[in-house]
Amino acid sequence: MKVMKFGGTSVGTPQRMKEVTKLVTASGQPVLVVFSAMSGTTNSLVEISDYLYKKNPEGANEVINKLEQKYMRHVEELYSTDEWKENTRNFLLGVFNYLRSFTKELFTSFEEKSIVAQGEIMSTNMIQNYMQELGINSCLLSALDFMRTDKNAEPDSSYIREKLNTILKDKEGAQVYITQGFICRNAYGEIDNLQRGGSDYTASLIGAAINADEIQIWTDIDGMHNNDPRVVDKTEPVHQLHFEEAAELAYFGAKILHPTCVQPAKFAGIPVRLLNTMDPEAEGTTISNKTEFGKIKAVAAKDNITAIKIKSSRMLLATGFLRKVFEIFESYQTAIDMVCTSEVGVSMSIDNNSHLNEIVNELKKYGTVTVDNDMCIICVVGDLDWSNVGFETLATEAMKNIPVRMISYGGSNYNISFLIKESDKKRALQSLSDTLFNKK
């Protein structure tokens, strides 16, 4: 069985829902489909929660009414029979009355999660009803019945596998199984959500739990590109990536995928395909444990980086110096992206400035501290093992006219990183594309 996931834009209108239905039934084979909330819905639900926190029920009701009107218009466009229009209207009316009930009661953080969860619940019920109207043998599975996190807020993989496979066995025979992305229950049974990767994470966890043949992530982009198409000319989709390459690109700025959301698929050895709902015939990007040896795949950029340099003559041969430095960052829960060391100093980059002043004050106990703001990490990804002679030369050749603050190479077989000023980002990305991909 394949797992297919569709994001908010893919189900953002009744017409898109109709097109997605054709996609999931085209093969005639059983599929398990994960749906996000319709685009814009989650933002509205968060806004409702915000008004409730601020004890403004009138503001919350205004947003609820506006969202209800939008959904009722969708009902008229999506269904062709009075029976299914009425069924869906009644279901949606129950959801919006549920949302209104919070304007009359004391509001808690757990109720916020319940409110936000209604987006996925509405989209999946609407699509289920549409498929039923068409006579498709579909079955709606509530993610709240099998998707659970443990006491550390991490997915409870054993529970998910056991519960989901039991449910599928009980519901055996359907052509399309539908469920919600993003939402789950926590270890205490309360409605919660998967923080990292959202619906993509759900699809990956489900794929691993049922040992799927393939996990398909459908978005409005035809896969990961070899550079940022918003900044650089002549980018192309990358057709094959190793899981490690995809994780590097996602971490360093490729927004199409969260860096942790495909980990369950990686460990289970299940390929993940990134496909385009607007162009279903496009090849997209396949992510797997296979490596294309000796090939540079793509470039990504991560903005809003701060570089911190600490210089100290006491560092020379001083055991424990780096440990003390790293413990300062750890104490403020600030992750380090890049590290470069010398005999008398160490430079690091971070992407979280919330405790920058405190960190700098602590570091001054050990040496002279310099801070550079408005920096950017450029990441070159591929099979960059040190035995592949010349790849680092190609990358540095492309950067020859760009001032480089730091270079990181060797920490991974898949990544060369350059720390530069944000103002030089566009020039750097274009130069890398011209040198690595566009030369004939």
Side-chain angles (χ1 to χ4, degrees), residues 112-230:
E112 179 192 10
K113 302 282 181 67
S114 299
I115 286 173
V116 174
Q118 300 310 306
E120 281 74 15
I121 290 171
M122 288 193 290
S123 66
T124 50
N125 274 273
M126 289 176 71
I127 294 168
Q128 163 69 355
N129 286 355
Y130 177 65
M131 290 191 182
Q132 292 289 291
E133 184 183 52
L134 295 180
I136 296 167
N137 185 4
S138 60
C139 178
L140 178 59
L141 312 177
S142 173
L144 300 179
D145 290 341
F146 63 85
M147 191 60 64
R148 189 175 79 171
T149 56
D150 60 23
K151 291 182 180 179
N152 296 317
E154 295 294 335
D156 189 338
S157 299
S158 298
Y159 178 92
I160 295 166
R161 181 170 57 254
E162 181 182 345
K163 291 292 287 186
L164 179 55
N165 281 290
T166 299
I167 292 170
L168 288 173
K169 189 174 181 180
D170 291 342
K171 306 283 187 181
E172 194 172 2
Q175 180 187 351
V176 180
Y177 297 92
I178 297 169
T179 194
Q180 300 89 15
F182 183 56
I183 66 175
C184 65
R185 291 192 186 275
N186 61 27
Y188 309 99
E190 300 151 342
I191 294 178
D192 211 322
N193 52 62
L194 300 170
Q195 296 293 327
R196 297 165 300 180
S199 296
D200 292 349
Y201 205 11
T202 301
S204 188
L205 288 164
I206 287 174
I210 67 171
N211 196 26
D213 300 320
E214 180 178 270
I215 299 165
Q216 298 179 352
I217 308 292
W218 291 81
T219 66
D220 53 0
I221 304 171
D222 51 346
M224 281 192 173
H225 278 233
N226 60 8
N227 210 325
D228 190 340
R230 299 166 300 181

Side-chain angles (χ1 to χ4, degrees), residues 224-228 236 238 241 245 249 254 295-300 379-382 384 414 416 432 436-437:
M224 281 192 173
H225 278 233
N226 60 8
N227 210 325
D228 190 340
E236 294 179 352
V238 182
L241 287 169
E245 294 170 338
L249 289 171
K295 188 173 182 180
I296 295 178
K297 297 291 187 65
V299 177
C379 172
V380 179
V381 168
L384 304 173
Y414 300 98
I416 302 174
L432 283 162
L436 302 177
F437 309 126

